[in-house]
Amino acid sequence: QVQVVESGGGLVQAGESLKLSCTASGLRFDDYAMGWFRQAPGKEREGVASISWSGDSTYYVDSVKGRFTISRDNRKNTLYLQMNSLKPEDTAMYYCAASDREWWFLAQRQSLRVTDFDYWGQGTQVTVSS
């Protein structure tokens, strides 16, 4: 059975940093593109960042470029999201997800799409206070 588990969320003040982690089991981790999504109450689930199976290619939504860094360690089956200079508008439940789509298919899209990802974690809450 595939299991995806996020950790590292918490409550921080604006301008501070958090690092999220995601571990996956039950799949060949380096065969999957991985992504981070977030969802605030009353809002749609938003793609934040994604990374190819090799880690050589990444995507970021404009609102987090220059502040967030996605990375992966395939030896540890672990995905990371380093979040710096956090803003109150970053407050959301953050979800880790795995996609078995070809990277070229994901890369040609203009944004991350929930329907392109097959396995999801339970989420970890990030709250940024002002």
Side-chain angles (χ1 to χ4, degrees):
Q1 294 180 340
V2 175
Q3 187 170 22
V4 180
V5 180
E6 305 96 333
S7 62
L11 173 63
V12 298
Q13 295 186 113
E16 295 183 339
S17 299
L18 280 174
K19 187 174 184 179
L20 307 183
S21 297
C22 168
T23 59
S25 61
L27 53 78
R28 189 180 295 274
F29 186 71
D30 60 4
D31 280 349
Y32 287 79
M34 301 294 296
W36 288 100
F37 292 75
R38 64 188 181 186
Q39 188 167 23
K43 298 185 182 297
E44 72 279 3
R45 189 167 297 187
E46 174 190 34
V48 176
S50 61
I51 188 166
S52 64
W53 67 268
S54 67
D56 289 337
S57 298
T58 58
Y59 163 86
Y60 298 94
V61 68
D62 285 346
S63 60
V64 309
K65 285 182 178 178
R67 300 189 298 121
F68 291 11
T69 302
I70 189 171
S71 61
R72 66 192 296 164
D73 185 342
N74 288 343
R75 295 167 297 176
K76 298 180 179 180
N77 283 14
T78 302
L79 176 74
Y80 303 98
L81 186 67
Q82 178 66 50
M83 304 184 293
N84 297 329
S85 301
L86 282 162
K87 303 175 179 179
E89 51 263 45
D90 295 318
T91 295
M93 184 73 73
Y94 282 71
Y95 297 91
C96 173
S99 175
D100 64 3
R101 306 291 200 278
E102 298 285 349
W103 179 251
W104 67 262
F105 181 81
L106 299 175
Q108 59 84 38
R109 293 191 181 277
Q110 299 300 308
S111 63
L112 296 177
R113 301 186 185 184
V114 169
T115 53
D116 286 338
F117 287 76
D118 305 286
Y119 303 106
W120 294 81
Q122 81 291 340
T124 185
Q125 179 67 38
V126 173
T127 302
V128 184
S129 65
S130 59

